Amino acid sequence: MLEVSGLTKRFGGFTAVSGVSFSLKEGEILGLIGPNGSGKSTTFNLIAGLHAPSAGSVRLNGEEIGGLLPAAICHRGIARTFQIPRPFRKLSLIENVVLAAFYGQEERPSRGKAHEFARESLNLVGLPIEESARVDGLGAAGLKKLELARALATQPRVLLADESLGGLDHAEMEQAADMLSMIRREKGITIIWVEHIMGVLMRVVDRCIVLDHGELIAQGKPAEVAHDPKVIEVYLGTDAADVQKTVADRTQ
Amino acid sequence: MKYFLLALLALLAGTPFYGLGNYPLHLVIMCLLWGYVYTSWSIMGRLGLVSFGHGAFLGIGAYSVVMLWNHFGVSPWIGAIAGVVVSVIVAVIIGLPCFRFKIVGHYFALVTLALSEVTRLIIVALRDQTGGSLGATPNTALAQGNAWSLGALQFSEKIVWFYAILAVWLAGLWVWAKVDRGMTRLALEAISQEEEAAASIGINVTRSKLFVTLISAVMTSIGGVLYAQYQLYINPETVSGISISLQMVFGVIAGGMYVMLGPTVGAVFTLLLAEGLRLALGDSFKQFPALDLAIYGLMLVLFIIHMPKGILGTAAQIWQRRAAAKAPARG
Ligand SMILES: Nc1ncnc2c1ncn2[C@@H]1O[C@H](COP(=O)(O)OP(=O)(O)OP(=O)(O)O)[C@@H](O)[C@H]1O
Ligand SMILES: [Mg+2]
């Protein structure tokens, strides 16, 4: 449903994303992996309209959306989370999400309906729905959940989850991974997921694409990617054996 | 609380009948007029759009009516509409690029500061039409024996102005409350905290900012019209330029921009301060034309540091804390 081709972003003389092409199939979870600074978040920013591409195109169901403003892309059904959470700190938890529910779609729901969507999203990620709940009390895991709830409240068809799960313990990471599977299952949302912890990611995704220095170096099923020599060289390194084992366990 | 406010309003509405004399009534009218203008400013100012350019809209409103009336005999009612239209155009010309290209905070303040100064310079430069720094007086429509002319929006009796401006002030508060309860307010708060996150959940940043800017600019230029017609004298210093723009910012912050009556309290405070300075310093006040500006600037800094919620905001906070402290004791 999403068709990215030749996507390129230059910041001054530096090319952060270079001729990246891939496609996203309806209903899948696509893992986007690569070393630090390889251009994963920048790719998300390009798809979500935060940056205009220097070259290349992004098509959603055949329609060119590259270069549209973030709000317009959100209205077309693509939601995103930020790697470093960006909550509206002075608003209450529910207000954060109600805004997304109210403004997230081309046709605005009534305020009552927006509240309903907001409560549903908060419930889905397991955050409190009380009017009095504040952002301040949330830890790293809570803030990530809020990012997700806000994105979900816009009723997206595609979710770009930038979740390098820093700051979470192992149980919280597993929980986050399960949450994405559950979101796909319950809401039928197609997902691109950025994550550094391969053990968690490989368990859940259907396919993987790998970036290095802004270039796409591999794509395929988790098993193929985990055995790809190039991917092992630039990214997996000594973890390769563990990752391969995770993938093998999963197919059993 | 509601009844207290209604009682206060009733008390206020009776002002002309307390036999206060002309000057105190004039002061009350000025408090209401500036209260309305400050309220107009705060509609965008409280949402992170701190404008130092509202003198421009005030000046456009005031000079549009007076110039059209004096030179072309156009009724101030039409002149007011022209002033509003010009204000909208100017607000769009300034606002659109600022909002589109994320000019916020200090940079937005600087751009708007330039706007208010440019407006003043234009008025001064067109001295053949505007009377320059000497100011302008609307030609009188009050032939002998006539106390007022509705068509020319001129009334010689203060009581008429009192009720007219009271009504406009109330309308201003109503708009303030309407915006306060609307979704746009939440959206703009979100934008002022995390603009990119707000945009990515579908909030049209430019449109939201432009929306409150236009409301604020239109209301302010109507304030300029009322000022010109009430005072029957305008000059570039009092309705445009840095001085009046800074005074608006100061007044609202001093009064408290997050509570409905804060800007009005700020207007009362500013007027009392100005009157006090005038009485205390006498004629020497006039010899240092920038003295008031310096004092406003200094007090603005003090308020921002020591009382960022303003007089009314801080009072409301103390009152709420007291109430909260009492409540458990009672239960
Ligand atoms: N707005 C920007 N201006 C200039 N350079 C940028 C900008 N955004 C990203 N970059 C650069 O582009 C490169 C790719 O960054 P990006 O954030 O996309 O990496 P990433 O793959 O998400 O890394 P991480 O795994 O650490 O999140 C980095 O070198 C970064 O410094
Ligand atoms: Mg990143």
Side-chain angles (χ1 to χ4, degrees), chain A residues 40-41 83 162 164:
Chain A
K40 305 181 294 294
S41 297
Q83 182 173 2
D162 198 344
S164 307

Side-chain angles (χ1 to χ4, degrees), chain A residues 35-42 44 83-84 162-164 194 196:
Chain A
N36 288 112
S38 56
K40 305 181 294 294
S41 297
T42 305
F44 274 9
Q83 182 173 2
I84 298 165
D162 198 344
E163 293 252 320
S164 307
V194 169
H196 276 303

Side-chain angles (χ1 to χ4, degrees), chain A residues 90-112:
Chain A
K90 292 185 199 152
L91 304 184
S92 71
L93 214 53
I94 187 109
E95 282 172 337
N96 265 269
V97 187
V98 163
L99 273 176
F102 187 76
Y103 286 101
Q105 298 174 77
E106 188 92 66
E107 292 218 352
R108 292 200 186 141
S110 68
R111 288 177 81 156

